[in-house]
Amino acid sequence: MSSLPRPLRVLRSARLADGSLVDITLDGELVAAVTPADPAAEIDEASDLDLRGYLVVTAPAEPHAHLDKARSWDAARPPAGDLVRAIESWRAFAAGQTEDDIAARARAQALENLAAGTTAIRTHVDLFADHDPLRGVRALVRVREELAELIDIQLVALGGEWVPDDVYEGALDLGVDIVGGAPHLATDPHAELHRALDIAERRGAPVDLHTDESLDGPLTIVSYANRVAAWSQPRSAGHCVRLGTLPADELAEVIAAVAAADLRIITLPITNLYLQGWEHPVSTPRGLTATRALLDAGVVLGAGADNVRDPFNPVGRGDALETASLLVTAGHLSLDEALTAVTAGARAAMWLPEAGPVVGARAELLAVRADSLGEAIASGSPDRLVIHAGRLVARTTIHRDIAPAGVAAASPSLTR
């Protein structure tokens, strides 16, 4: 039997990203105090946590997942390829997937994300074009309810031009939180964009669209931004790959519209690095959005892991530190910027309240064994403690045993 979840009172000798050592006092779901560490303080084993050797950061959020697709690569056995081939492979496989199949894979991946430190997930869920279009929705609503005490889950209805309005409405009636879609893939991208926004406006629902996920083709984000500029409900755009291909003068105009509309952008490096550029075997483009220009313009930028081991991405761990590492390597962000994108930025892109080791913030925290932020992102140590709503909800402890140096030279049977 697990001893978790476990309410906590004080986190002792935690190292923050700036290098300082602190004690973090919790008051239920909130951070009550952050004070210089007192190494002489007595640790109450029942309510305190000794974090010597750990770096503590805001718990990551996953602003763009596909839990309904996760972990299907081995069973689907899709060919490697670009976005169009991935969509075709997924649809063929999904036709045989039951509600229970979807729920089992989604649950397993959500718990894997939690173990890695993620305490909030926004997942898109497909609306199917068959006899039971809402089976994925029912599966994800069930998983959300099962895991409600451990992780916050937002659901986005992901349809397309093949999905009638009443199916979208049915998904919202079942408990889906957000209207989604991928208008850039439609026969008439702008018509599909406004249809999705009409549904969201009619229902007073937030909206989160896959937006311009290609190296060329339609650019819908300006129409999106202009339409929602006066809205009060949350809005965000995922992928936005086309922004990374625009010349500087055109990009500046697009980003100005995005900033004016407070349209929050979610970049998804691992999946877009995999899906984009197959048609460019030489000087292959990176396929990321314009992360630097967006940050410099003050646009809220979140980052996520997106697909995990499914037809859209055969790898990935659902680990925010993996995403942060890719933002440093492929996006040329600093360590601090990369961490912010998967923590505070991701939470802001999901329109969640402030969290982290800050007085008055929600006690959503990740402790990873590392002496510095650079070490945490570079090594991605799985040795982690995860705190959600002021309670320890996940613990991973690693034991490492390495042979001592020189053992091969000392053993004739192991030398030549």
Side-chain angles (χ1 to χ4, degrees):
M1 289 289 292
S2 174
S3 60
L4 307 181
R6 178 181 142 202
L8 296 172
R9 185 180 65 88
V10 184
L11 312 180
R12 300 285 184 185
S13 298
R15 185 175 299 280
L16 300 183
D18 65 5
S20 59
L21 283 173
V22 298
D23 291 334
I24 304 171
T25 303
L26 309 183
D27 182 7
E29 298 183 0
L30 300 177
V31 175
V34 179
T35 56
D38 179 3
E42 185 175 338
I43 295 177
D44 185 337
E45 297 293 340
S47 62
D48 296 355
L49 202 57
D50 184 355
L51 292 182
R52 284 174 293 183
Y54 285 87
L55 181 81
V56 174
V57 298
T58 304
E62 173 51 71
H64 186 119
H66 290 270
L67 294 180
D68 58 338
K69 297 180 175 74
R71 298 169 173 246
S72 60
W73 175 274
D74 290 340
R77 303 181 67 180
D82 61 9
L83 178 61
V84 173
R85 180 169 288 189
I87 292 171
E88 293 170 349
S89 299
W90 165 249
R91 286 178 177 170
F93 175 74
Q97 288 286 286
T98 67
E99 179 181 330
D100 287 343
D101 294 333
I102 295 168
R105 289 186 291 96
R107 183 186 305 107
Q109 187 56 48
L111 291 173
E112 190 75 12
N113 282 45
L114 178 65
T118 295
T119 63
I121 297 175
R122 174 181 289 180
T123 179
H124 297 257
V125 53
D126 275 24
L127 307 179
F128 296 111
D130 58 22
H131 67 286
D132 189 6
L134 297 176
R135 65 184 180 278
V137 170
R138 295 195 303 272
L140 269 293
V141 168
R142 188 204 313 176
V143 171
R144 180 178 63 185
E145 293 172 351
E146 291 173 358
L147 304 182
E149 296 299 314
L150 304 178
I151 189 166
D152 297 323
I153 297 179
Q154 299 176 351
L155 302 180
V156 187
L158 177 57
E161 59 187 345
W162 63 90
V163 176
D165 286 14
D166 65 330
V167 173
Y168 267 107
E169 300 271 4
L172 293 166
D173 291 340
L174 284 174
V176 165
D177 309 289
I178 301 164
V179 174
H184 60 284
L185 297 176
T187 306
D188 185 339
H190 286 85
E192 182 63 16
L193 167 69
H194 288 290
R195 184 175 79 101
L197 296 178
D198 287 345
I199 296 170
E201 195 166 32
R202 187 164 64 242
R203 295 292 296 248
V207 61
D208 182 2
L209 300 177
H210 289 58
T211 303
D212 305 338
E213 188 184 358
S214 61
L215 296 170
D216 51 26
L219 185 67
T220 65
I221 194 167
V222 174
S223 295
Y224 183 7
N226 291 340
R227 173 72 185 272
V228 301
W231 283 17
S232 59
Q233 60 260 50
R235 58 273 192 183
S236 51
H239 296 289
C240 305
V241 173
R242 280 281 279 126
L243 270 62
T245 71
L246 299 179
D249 55 347
E250 185 178 354
L251 177 62
E253 294 179 5
V254 172
I255 290 181
V258 168
D262 193 16
L263 181 58
R264 303 183 179 188
I265 305 300
I266 300 166
T267 185
L268 305 157
I270 189 168
T271 294
N272 284 135
L273 286 168
Y274 174 73
L275 289 177
Q276 303 299 322
W278 286 79
E279 69 277 25
H280 297 281
V282 178
S283 297
T284 306
R286 298 186 181 193
L288 301 186
T289 194
T291 52
R292 170 56 55 205
L294 289 163
L295 286 175
D296 289 348
V299 174
V300 172
L301 179 71
D306 200 3
N307 300 84
V308 177
R309 290 161 46 201
D310 66 25
F312 297 77
N313 174 26
V315 294
R317 299 186 292 274
D319 180 359
L321 294 184
E322 179 183 39
T323 300
S325 179
L326 287 170
L327 288 174
V328 173
T329 302
H332 292 169
L333 299 192
S334 70
L335 293 169
D336 287 329
E337 289 169 333
L339 179 70
T340 297
V342 299
T343 55
R347 291 185 65 86
M350 296 170 68
W351 298 74
L352 292 171
E354 182 185 16
V358 177
V359 175
R362 285 185 56 81
E364 305 286 329
L365 302 163
L366 166 63
V368 56
R369 189 171 290 283
D371 290 329
S372 67
L373 178 58
E375 181 185 348
I377 293 177
S379 69
S381 171
D383 203 334
R384 305 183 191 191
L385 299 157
V386 185
I387 297 165
H388 171 56
R391 300 176 307 151
L392 182 64
V393 294
R395 178 196 294 115
T396 303
T397 302
I398 301 300
H399 173 74
R400 178 175 290 172
D401 188 4
I402 301 176
V407 70
S411 175
S413 64
L414 296 179
T415 60
R416 307 187 84 172

